[in-house]
Amino acid sequence: PVFGARGLSTWEQCGTDPFFQQVIDTVDKVFDALPPSRDILNVPEHQRESLGVAKIVSRRLSAMQRNKDCPRCWLQAAHCICSQTTSSIEDSLPHFVHRVFLILNHKEIGMVVDTAKLLLMSMPNQARLVVSGIAEDYQESLVELKDALQQKERPCIVLFPTEDAQTFEDLYQSTISSKRDDASATDTKLDVVVIDGTWQQAQKIHQRYIPAVQDGGPCRVCLSDAALELLGGGGGGGGGG
């Protein structure tokens, strides 16, 4: 079955998580404009991906509803971890972090093993969810992300291990902290972009949504060796995934 046109409104728990409700609303917006029964060949080319992705996400949501999975942590009710997760992370974030954008590959939605959902659970006010593959016409968060990537008043960084990526400590010392000498920049905050998916999916998302540094795009940030050691990934290279 394919949900749409508010087809998930009867899901009792869907209103408990704003990000999950956002996904539902996004699918509904796509289906309102592009009915899922419509022949894909009769859909304008630039809209076909949005419809295809919305159908996939809708089927995933249907399966979650049938299984009575929690719409917040995406686990079955017997294994729900919501009571153990709070928004305390937001309180401990550095004061200069404004927003955290999570670009999520659509195939990750509803996946039990996906861990990015923990970021959404822990940062309900500062996190922004963007579902890759669905156009900005149907999700305001993508409009907000594009604006963050283009504007110059507020720095933006992307967690992605390119060859020229810096650790956050190095970037902060060379770029952000230097602005403290400018009285007009004392309140400067930055936006952070996180990409979630398999490595191949993440590479495609990065190439599609994030402008190159030489084209005025944001700085790329990788994990430090110390962070890799903490995560059990070993040192030597400072990469991050």
Side-chain angles (χ1 to χ4, degrees):
V2 176
F3 280 117
R6 321 267 120 50
L8 286 171
S9 60
T10 57
W11 194 344
E12 291 182 1
Q13 291 180 296
C14 72
T16 63
D17 181 70
F19 297 106
F20 199 80
Q21 186 63 53
Q22 175 191 326
V23 174
I24 294 172
D25 292 343
T26 295
V27 170
D28 281 336
K29 288 178 182 178
V30 175
F31 287 168
D32 283 347
L34 307 167
S37 59
R38 188 174 177 180
D39 187 338
I40 194 73
L41 295 179
N42 294 328
V43 175
E45 284 191 33
H46 69 283
Q47 297 281 22
R48 290 177 183 175
E49 184 181 24
S50 292
L51 178 57
V53 169
K55 285 184 176 181
I56 293 172
V57 173
S58 179
R59 288 193 288 269
R60 180 62 60 83
L61 297 178
S62 300
M64 292 180 67
Q65 184 185 34
R66 289 195 305 272
N67 296 334
K68 294 182 171 57
D69 294 337
C70 174
R72 189 163 180 257
C73 68
W74 304 351
L75 300 176
Q76 290 189 342
H79 306 290
C80 178
I81 60 172
C82 290
S83 62
Q84 304 171 46
T85 307
T86 67
S87 58
S88 59
I89 290 181
E90 284 188 325
D91 299 330
S92 61
L93 280 175
H95 68 279
F96 49 78
V97 174
H98 179 55
R99 295 168 296 188
V100 178
F101 290 92
L102 172 63
I103 311 179
L104 185 69
N105 182 276
H106 64 273
K107 294 182 179 179
E108 296 292 311
I109 294 176
M111 291 285 288
V112 171
V113 296
D114 181 79
T115 54
K117 62 195 173 193
L118 298 176
L119 185 151
L120 300 176
M121 294 170 64
S122 302
M123 303 177 61
N125 298 311
Q126 289 177 285
R128 304 288 188 273
L129 172 62
V130 177
V131 180
S132 68
I134 296 183
E136 60 190 83
D137 296 346
Y138 310 111
Q139 50 177 347
E140 295 179 4
S141 56
L142 180 53
V143 177
E144 194 174 352
L145 170 65
K146 288 186 175 182
D147 178 69
L149 292 171
Q150 295 172 0
Q151 57 86 35
K152 303 301 180 182
E153 290 76 19
R154 180 184 299 111
C156 182
I157 62 174
V158 179
L159 304 185
F160 197 80
T162 56
E163 291 185 1
D164 58 350
Q166 298 175 272
T167 64
F168 180 76
E169 181 179 12
D170 290 341
L171 179 66
Y172 183 83
Q173 292 297 330
S174 63
T175 306
I176 301 175
S177 64
S178 63
K179 295 185 178 182
R180 298 302 181 218
D181 297 330
D182 183 353
S184 64
T186 55
D187 295 327
T188 298
K189 293 180 178 292
L190 61 83
D191 292 317
V192 181
V193 179
V194 180
I195 299 173
D196 184 51
T198 66
W199 175 237
Q200 185 176 25
Q201 291 168 349
Q203 288 178 304
K204 291 181 179 179
I205 290 174
H206 177 263
Q207 183 177 19
R208 176 175 184 173
Y209 291 101
I210 312 300
V213 174
Q214 56 266 34
D215 295 329
C219 295
R220 274 58 168 179
V221 173
C222 61
L223 296 178
S224 64
D225 286 345
L228 286 173
E229 289 288 350
L230 184 64
L231 294 172

